[in-house]
Amino acid sequence: MNSTGATADAGSEQHLRRALSNRHIQLLAIGGAIGTGLFMGSGKTISVAGPSVIFVYMIIGFMLFFVMRAMGELLLSNLKYKSFSDFASDLLGPWAGFFTGWTYWFCWVVTGVADVIAIAGYTDALIPGIPLWFPGLLVVVILLALNLPTVAAFGEMEFWFALIKIVAIVALIATGLVMVFTGFQHDAGTASFSNLWEHGGMFPHGFMGFVAGFQIAVFAFVGIELVGTAAAETKDPKRNLPKAINAIPIRVLLFYVGALIVLMAVTPWTEYVAGESPFIAMFALAGLGIAATVVNLVVLTSAMSSANSGIYSTSRMVFGLAQDGDAPRMFARLSKRRVPQNALFLSCILLLSGVGLLYAGKDIGTAFDMVTTVSAVCFMFVWTIFLCSYLKYRRTRPEKAAASAFKMPGGVFMVFVVLAFFVFILWALTTQPDTLTALLVTPIWFAILIVAWVFVRKSPHHIARHEAHIAYLRDETIDAH
């Protein structure tokens, strides 16, 4: 393919339709920031860190806000960037686009497979005796049917998924506050804010307990960057993207910190154990007998939301990789409705592997704890690429940085603060046996990518597509819309 033809191809073939409204993008950002981990994983986090878990979530949310601001400034610096693999490829080189795109794809495939398994488990709790393969297969078919028509259909579905999660958390906070202000009595004591500091203080397990909270809680924020994947299909991105990113701190304070403060005020942190949902426990305390069913439905919805996000983001990432010559060109084709249907089919086929894993044995839960830890470490790699791309952007395109209407607060200084924080997280992962094992396994994925890159980088097709795509991204005469 000659360069001119490739450029034309790059400029016409692959325009994603900007069909996500402000309503969609705002709820997409909330849905990305509220994972299933908050509903089911917070019991373990509270049990290891005690009330200091409040500070853990605040610190992680604070740091990731700057990652999102860096991502937002880069995406808005060139509206032809479909996703962060585009700006990584443009600023750091083709290797960065390849590693970022495929690593992000890997993260969401693993998370999506885990979600399919979780959905089957939650369905079994609601409808005992149902064959495990049925809900797993059904959810993949439903999500494919929802994502194939238009991107607006995906946005609408994610809007309602996120709304259900928000209603559940607001209901928990409201119920808990009523219990605290009325001095509700129960077997573990009295509901009161003093429960936050009267059972061993705010740091009952000392500094290492505080550290252990980080290595669990960081996984709850996976997906916070999803709003960046949707950037290419967002109406009026210059207005909607900043609004969604700037609201992240408020959402973290309300949905994570607010919910945890209320949970530990109603019931002392010493009562929480890993593997049990604090949400179910609190609603049950309030005398809501159907709490288990309600929360199971909410968690089922949360897992559906995560799987929906996984199908969306992996299909868009493979689509972008195909345009850059880093994936087979068949995945660069769009349907008449401007949906990358071939990439969608690939994502759904891979999610179906979760159905097979349902029958892999009793230790599948343990295996998936480790696999999702690997996924979270890979997400941190992707976030680090955002920051490295931002550093290169500030150094090589100072005029664009100076003209930016959405500048990252703290600039280069905050990039190094966040990178130092990521080093701290990696150290925290070495302090627990299960996460240490996952951390040691993660390099296998990068070894596979290095081998693949050795072959891909020399491919004439890759070279031609990459050069054409970068020329398209940098040609300011072509309309970005």
Side-chain angles (χ1 to χ4, degrees), residues 138-163:
L138 183 64
V139 73
V140 174
V141 172
I142 290 172
L143 293 178
L144 179 62
L146 288 169
N147 277 271
L148 269 179
T150 63
V151 66
F154 158 78
E156 198 63 32
M157 193 66 181
E158 197 55 34
F159 173 85
W160 290 105
F161 279 154
L163 201 60

Side-chain angles (χ1 to χ4, degrees), residues 156-359:
E156 198 63 32
M157 193 66 181
E158 197 55 34
F159 173 85
W160 290 105
F161 279 154
L163 201 60
I164 289 169
K165 289 192 276 191
I166 292 166
V167 168
I169 295 171
V170 170
L172 172 112
I173 293 172
T175 304
L177 287 175
V178 169
M179 293 168 79
V180 168
F181 290 128
T182 57
F184 184 83
Q185 301 278 337
H186 53 87
D187 291 343
T190 304
S192 167
F193 286 119
S194 62
N195 284 328
L196 293 170
W197 56 82
E198 283 187 349
H199 299 271
M202 296 295 286
F203 296 84
H205 293 311
F207 179 69
M208 291 312 294
F210 182 57
V211 169
F214 279 96
Q215 54 96 11
I216 301 166
V218 73
F219 309 140
F221 286 86
V222 157
I224 199 170
E225 73 301 309
L226 188 63
V227 68
T229 313
E233 293 169 284
T234 303
K235 292 176 183 174
D236 194 6
K238 287 187 176 180
R239 175 176 172 269
N240 292 334
L241 203 59
K243 282 179 68 176
I245 291 172
N246 284 338
I248 287 172
I250 302 299
R251 285 161 185 159
V252 169
L253 284 173
L254 176 63
F255 299 124
Y256 281 98
V257 179
L260 291 169
I261 287 174
V262 167
L263 284 169
M264 290 183 287
V266 171
T267 306
W269 70 269
T270 50
E271 300 296 312
Y272 293 108
V273 295
E276 292 182 12
S277 171
F279 281 68
I280 293 177
M282 208 199 78
F283 282 128
L285 267 182
L288 301 173
I290 60 167
T293 303
V294 171
V295 175
N296 266 313
L297 281 169
V298 170
V299 177
L300 181 65
T301 303
S302 184
M304 280 278 285
S305 169
S306 181
N308 192 36
S309 298
I311 283 179
Y312 173 83
S313 54
T314 52
S315 62
R316 267 57 179 182
M317 198 55 71
V318 170
F319 169 73
L321 287 164
Q323 288 183 310
D324 210 10
D326 292 337
R329 69 183 78 188
M330 65 180 287
F331 297 121
R333 294 176 194 149
L334 293 176
S335 68
K336 290 179 181 178
R337 294 176 178 268
R338 298 288 182 90
V339 172
Q341 60 183 22
N342 290 344
L344 265 175
F345 285 126
L346 173 68
S347 298
C348 289
I349 289 167
L350 290 167
L351 285 191
L352 284 173
S353 64
V355 178
L357 287 169
L358 287 168
Y359 298 93

Side-chain angles (χ1 to χ4, degrees), residues 50-59 196 202 257 260-261 264:
S52 68
V53 72
I54 295 167
F55 304 118
V56 169
Y57 278 95
M58 288 175 73
I59 292 169
L196 293 170
M202 296 295 286
V257 179
L260 291 169
I261 287 174
M264 290 183 287

